[in-house]
DNA sequence: TCATAATGGTTATAAAATATAACTATAACT
DNA sequence: AGTTATAGTTATATTTTATAACCATTATGA
């Protein structure tokens, strides 16, 4: 549905020749369009594991930070706490992580990944890296590293406003 | 609310030291986080004109492409036609654009910007460019142009999947 | 110590963005 | 002329994101 003009569209019309020069000179617009396409492909990849982006991001941080609290996870992912609850609920319901009560603070949970959770983490990560390599080229290439560095700098400078 | 640890957080905890190395090695994640920050700032800028991102993007394309049809606009913005209707409705209600009936095809509208619409376009564009320069540096700098080119390439390669 | 404030997690809810099916009126095709 | 396709719309559902308010627990400080 991206391109491909049918016979009917061959009249005088704007198909495929709408001028979006003004928008395309704006970095933010290009970021949005590029990310949308990347995301669309990633969603496909993660669907094979019955994961969504945010769910998988949470799993990654829990695996990498055993004992993490929900509030720290929310801050690290830049998600509001209430919105994280259902995500943690799902990961727990699927047996990928566990909420362990703390003796030191009985309000909080220590989030820990289970073995199946760590396995899913690994398997999905392989697929995600393949997806990224396909789109961005080798993730260790100087070009790719430079892109990541630029994006992080943009993030910092935008947050500084 | 970004950083700033209160006295209470000084215990042994994960505040500000959650390891997100795995996520940060993924380009897509950095794109998402960077774009979120850019968008947050842009939203502030556009609020002064009572515009949202999509509404303003639509206005830009209508100003730059007088006589545009809604379906072509939808395709150019990668938005579903039904979702564009309310956006066009708003622009029309505010007197920024007009839906002009076509004699050649009485199903379609030719979208044209009004004088106030063109003026808002100009004023908002100045503010948006200032916002972008603040974050990305001069928009004509080779670095910025290179970033845009990279993003467009990413978009193409991701769409090719 | 006790009253107050703050924190971690949750619930409920709303707003916004996004997607799909189905409808109308017109137009194009054979 | 009859079928098919298109432009725009309506209705609707889903997802994402944000906000307020609550409960239980912990920290603060008079």
């Amino acid at each position: 549905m991206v391109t491909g003009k049918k016979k009917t569209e061959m009249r005088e019309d704007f198909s495929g020749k709408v001028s979006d020069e003004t928008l395309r000179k704006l970095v933010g617009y290009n970021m949005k369009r590029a990310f949308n396409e990347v995301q669309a492909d990633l969603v496909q990849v993660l669907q094979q594991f019955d994961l969504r982006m945010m769910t998988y991001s949470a799993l990654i941080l829990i695996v990498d930070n055993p004992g993490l609290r929900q509030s720290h996870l929310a801050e690290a992912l830049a998600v509001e706490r209430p919105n994280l609850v259902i995500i943690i609920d799902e990961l727990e319901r699927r047996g990928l992580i566990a909420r362990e009560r703390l003796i030191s603070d009985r309000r909080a949970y220590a989030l820990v990944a289970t073995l199946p959770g760590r396995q899913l983490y690994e398997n999905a990560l392989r697929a995600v890296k393949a997806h990224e390599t396909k789109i961005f080229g080798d993730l260790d290439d100087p070009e790719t590293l430079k892109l990541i560095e630029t994006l992080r700098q943009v993030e910092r400078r935008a947050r500084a406003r």
Side-chain angles (χ1 to χ4, degrees), chain A:
Chain A
M1 194 204 282
V2 176
T3 42
K5 34 191 66 177
K6 311 208 181 58
K7 216 186 285 182
T8 320
E9 289 171 330
M10 286 307 196
R11 295 161 295 149
E12 176 277 342
D13 69 353
F14 276 102
S15 296
K17 47 178 194 269
V18 177
S19 161
D20 62 352
E21 259 192 78
T22 304
L23 281 174
R24 286 298 184 177
K25 280 181 189 147
L26 299 173
V27 187
Y29 184 76
N30 288 286
M31 285 184 73
K32 181 191 168 83
R33 295 297 298 264
F35 177 66
N36 280 351
E37 297 295 338
V38 171
Q39 185 182 34
D41 189 56
L42 177 59
V43 163
Q44 296 289 112
V45 171
L46 289 177
Q47 244 165 17
Q48 301 166 321
F49 304 93
D50 197 15
L51 287 169
R52 271 161 304 125
M53 276 184 9
M54 186 53 75
T55 316
Y56 186 48
S57 302
L59 178 60
I60 288 179
L61 289 192
I62 295 167
V63 168
D64 285 358
N65 299 273
L68 194 62
R69 317 286 175 84
Q70 286 183 205
S71 45
H72 299 145
L73 178 55
E75 191 189 339
L77 290 172
V79 174
E80 297 301 322
R81 267 83 72 201
N83 296 328
L84 193 62
V85 173
I86 51 171
I87 291 166
I88 302 299
D89 282 350
E90 187 194 333
L91 288 171
E92 187 184 37
R93 181 177 44 73
R94 291 173 59 182
L96 301 169
I97 67 159
R99 281 172 164 115
E100 296 187 348
R101 274 293 177 195
L102 288 173
I103 26 176
S104 55
D105 186 343
R106 297 191 310 177
R107 293 168 299 182
Y109 292 113
L111 302 176
V112 289
T114 62
L115 177 57
R118 292 192 297 274
Q119 287 168 341
L120 183 58
Y121 165 105
E122 292 292 350
N123 293 333
L125 194 55
R126 266 189 292 277
V128 169
K129 282 187 172 166
H131 137 90
E132 290 233 328
T133 302
K134 191 177 61 186
I135 293 175
F136 302 108
D138 200 316
L139 297 184
D140 303 315
D141 274 359
E143 283 233 22
T144 312
L145 296 175
K146 166 68 177 156
L147 175 56
I148 289 179
E149 187 40 53
T150 302
L151 290 169
R152 298 208 62 164
Q153 185 190 330
V154 164
E155 183 184 336
R156 283 191 300 271
R157 292 184 63 169
R159 184 160 39 216
R161 292 303 93 218

